[in-house]
Amino acid sequence: MALAGWVAAGAGAAQLEAQTHDPRAFGWQVGDMVSRTVTVEVPEGLALDDASVPQPGARGRALELRSVTRRDGSADGGRRHELTLAYQIFLSPREPRTLEMPSFRLRFQGQPRVQELLIEAWPVTVSPLAPVEVSYRHGLGELQPDTAPPMLDTAPARHRLVAYGAVALLLLAYLAHVYIGLPWWTRRHRPFTLAWRQLQGLTPSSSPEQRRDAYRQVHRALNKTMGEVLFEQDIDRFMEMRPRFAHLRADFAIFLQQSRHEFFGEGQGRADAQWLLDFCRRCRDAERGSA
């Protein structure tokens, strides 16, 4: 009975066999994918141990296992397992070199005993990308001429630069107008500053019409500064509105009295031209904030 059992086990083991479909053994280069397929017919009572199937992931080898595709199916009297192992070549030799798809053992659990099936290695010859010594004709050899840089269209960048420059100039012009132009124009067109310029030609020998015109210029400056026509009874209100002129209150009262006398012959005697000039200058200084 023991002899019969051994014979039966030997017969079961003989039924376990594999067929491999291997790639050609030559003509490969770095980066190529090389695949081999292993088909195993497994009789009833045995099951493939998944732990014995090669696993991808090992790095740094000249021939690296990238993936393992497994297809299982039924066969006469058992199971069929088809394993497709895809390797990638990571070696670029200086001369032809033979690598090996490594061998491995598939283990099968079951009755009558645990069995293993050896899958032999398979050679793969890797060729260099270029021969060791090449002709020194143009385009060959160890040193190659520099590749000319690609010609890029710079028109969009130039247009954007012009647009940015135009916007920057507009902003600078606006800032110059606000912080330089307007203050300068305002200073040049202050009411008493304009009146002072008009009175520069006034002298003691000026005609009555010239003198009256000088009074009109000063009145115009007073009215523009206050925002309405200034009369004697409005002096205190004017000083409250424009406190920088407060120290000239007495001069304002004298001016209005002299003006009434000049135009209507009322009040005290006529003020001389020099006093009118000095009064306008003092008003101009107060307007500037310098007095």
Side-chain angles (χ1 to χ4, degrees):
M1 290 176 64
L3 180 60
W6 180 83
V7 171
Q15 294 176 359
L16 187 63
E17 61 182 14
Q19 294 182 350
T20 61
H21 299 276
D22 297 310
R24 66 179 187 274
F26 56 86
W28 301 101
Q29 290 182 328
V30 60
D32 289 342
M33 297 292 296
V34 186
S35 299
R36 70 183 309 198
T37 300
V38 179
T39 304
V40 184
E41 301 284 347
V42 183
E44 291 288 346
L46 293 177
L48 176 62
D49 186 356
D50 294 338
S52 66
V53 178
Q55 299 297 321
R59 299 291 183 262
R61 297 181 178 179
L63 194 62
E64 180 180 306
L65 179 60
R66 302 292 291 177
S67 65
V68 177
T69 303
R70 176 176 170 179
R71 288 183 292 273
D72 301 329
S74 58
D76 293 339
R79 298 282 295 172
R80 176 185 294 109
H81 301 292
E82 183 179 291
L83 304 176
T84 301
L85 295 86
Y87 294 84
Q88 188 171 14
I89 301 172
F90 284 92
L91 176 69
S92 180
R94 295 177 61 86
E95 57 187 18
R97 180 175 170 181
T98 299
L99 306 177
E100 281 193 349
M101 291 182 170
S103 62
F104 57 92
R105 292 180 179 272
L106 295 176
R107 186 169 55 255
F108 298 87
Q109 306 283 352
Q111 299 296 329
R113 60 185 174 83
V114 175
Q115 300 186 39
E116 290 186 350
L117 182 63
L118 175 63
I119 306 300
E120 299 289 348
W122 181 259
V124 175
T125 300
V126 182
S127 302
L129 292 177
V132 177
E133 295 184 2
V134 298
S135 171
Y136 286 94
R137 296 170 54 192
H138 179 70
L140 300 176
E142 295 183 359
L143 297 179
Q144 302 295 325
D146 293 336
T147 302
M151 302 300 292
L152 301 178
D153 184 11
T154 60
R158 292 198 306 271
H159 295 161
R160 286 195 301 270
L161 184 60
V162 172
Y164 296 156
V167 172
L169 288 177
L170 290 175
L171 291 176
L172 288 175
Y174 171 76
L175 293 175
H177 174 69
V178 171
Y179 292 100
I180 299 177
L182 284 180
W184 177 85
W185 188 92
T186 302
R187 287 193 300 269
R188 297 284 295 176
H189 292 80
R190 288 169 178 161
F192 284 105
T193 300
L194 294 175
W196 170 253
R197 294 200 199 108
Q198 296 295 330
L199 266 62
Q200 292 300 301
L202 185 65
T203 63
S205 59
S206 298
S207 65
E209 185 58 35
Q210 290 176 330
R211 189 169 59 252
R212 290 184 178 183
D213 186 62
Y215 274 98
R216 292 189 188 97
Q217 294 293 338
V218 178
H219 271 291
R220 190 176 295 113
L222 286 171
N223 296 339
K224 186 176 294 185
T225 302
M226 186 175 180
E228 58 184 79
V229 178
L230 177 64
F231 298 99
E232 290 185 63
Q233 63 269 22
D234 299 325
I235 292 179
D236 292 335
R237 189 160 56 89
F238 178 85
M239 297 304 166
E240 292 177 1
M241 296 172 58
R242 302 289 186 266
R244 65 177 59 186
F245 295 95
H247 64 287
L248 299 176
R249 187 188 186 289
D251 292 336
F252 271 65
I254 294 173
F255 169 76
L256 292 175
Q257 292 174 5
Q258 299 299 337
S259 174
R260 189 172 63 253
H261 174 77
E262 181 69 33
F263 288 102
F264 306 106
E266 302 177 3
Q268 300 177 1
R270 184 181 62 191
D272 60 14
Q274 187 59 45
W275 184 92
L276 188 59
L277 283 171
D278 292 341
F279 172 70
C280 187
R281 177 182 54 78
R282 288 193 297 270
C283 291
R284 182 204 62 182
D285 295 340
E287 184 179 55
R288 292 177 176 177
S290 59

